[in-house]
């Protein structure tokens, strides 16, 4: 069984985003782990994620994933959410390369 405490920034998980409202991504889908391991261990199951979609529309905050073994699409940085993974089933399915993680962090930092 996966533990939220073991999650690392840049891992890709499958998780159910429901319930949702409005234009939020919904359903069982891949997500990019945004929060670092310290956050994941200390926050009682709360983990920051961004959904991944295969619907590749041009948008500055949608970053195309590099070629991975199991997942393709774009990370939607504009849809960052904090999910309680202690109460949701999830499964680690892939890991983004370090260069991509650094690019995400640089763009995410610039949006605050």
């Amino acid at each position: 069984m996966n533990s939220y405490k073991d999650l690392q920034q840049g891992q890709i998980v499958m998780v159910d985003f429901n319930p949702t409202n409005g234009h939020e991504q919904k359903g069982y889908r891949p997500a990019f782990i945004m929060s670092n391991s310290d956050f994941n261990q200390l926050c009682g199951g709360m983990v920051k994620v961004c959904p991944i979609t295969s619907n590749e529309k041009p948008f500055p905050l949608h970053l195309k994933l590099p070629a991975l073994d199991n997942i393709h699409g774009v990370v939607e940085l504009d849809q960052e959410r904090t999910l309680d993974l202690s109460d949701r089933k999830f499964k680690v399915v892939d890991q983004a390369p370090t260069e991509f993680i650094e690019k995400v962090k640089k763009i995410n930092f610039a949006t605050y």
Side-chain angles (χ1 to χ4, degrees):
M1 174 145 176
N2 293 306
S3 170
Y4 64 85
K5 291 183 179 183
D6 297 328
L7 291 173
Q8 302 292 313
Q9 190 174 54
Q11 285 182 313
I12 311 293
V13 296
M14 293 296 295
V15 65
D16 189 353
F17 276 80
N18 292 333
T20 59
N21 289 315
H23 294 284
E24 297 170 347
Q25 285 291 339
K26 54 186 144 265
Y28 187 71
R29 64 175 48 253
F32 180 89
I33 302 294
M34 295 289 288
S35 49
N36 64 34
S37 58
D38 289 338
F39 183 98
N40 299 338
Q41 290 175 11
L42 295 172
C43 290
M46 302 302 284
V47 177
K48 294 181 181 184
V49 300
C50 285
I52 297 171
T53 184
S54 59
N55 189 1
E56 299 183 22
K57 295 179 182 175
F59 188 72
L61 295 176
H62 291 184
L63 292 183
K64 184 167 178 58
L65 281 168
L68 300 174
D69 292 335
N70 300 309
I71 302 295
H72 69 281
V74 294
V75 177
E76 297 180 310
L77 297 177
D78 59 321
Q79 295 271 342
E80 183 177 322
R81 286 180 59 186
T82 303
L83 300 177
D84 185 353
L85 293 188
S86 70
D87 196 41
R88 294 177 192 251
K89 292 181 182 178
F90 69 93
K91 178 173 120 178
V92 177
V93 294
D94 223 322
Q95 171 70 48
T98 303
E99 303 82 37
F100 184 77
I101 297 168
E102 292 303 317
K103 184 177 182 179
V104 167
K105 287 169 38 177
K106 183 177 179 183
I107 291 171
N108 193 49
F109 180 74
T111 62
Y112 288 104

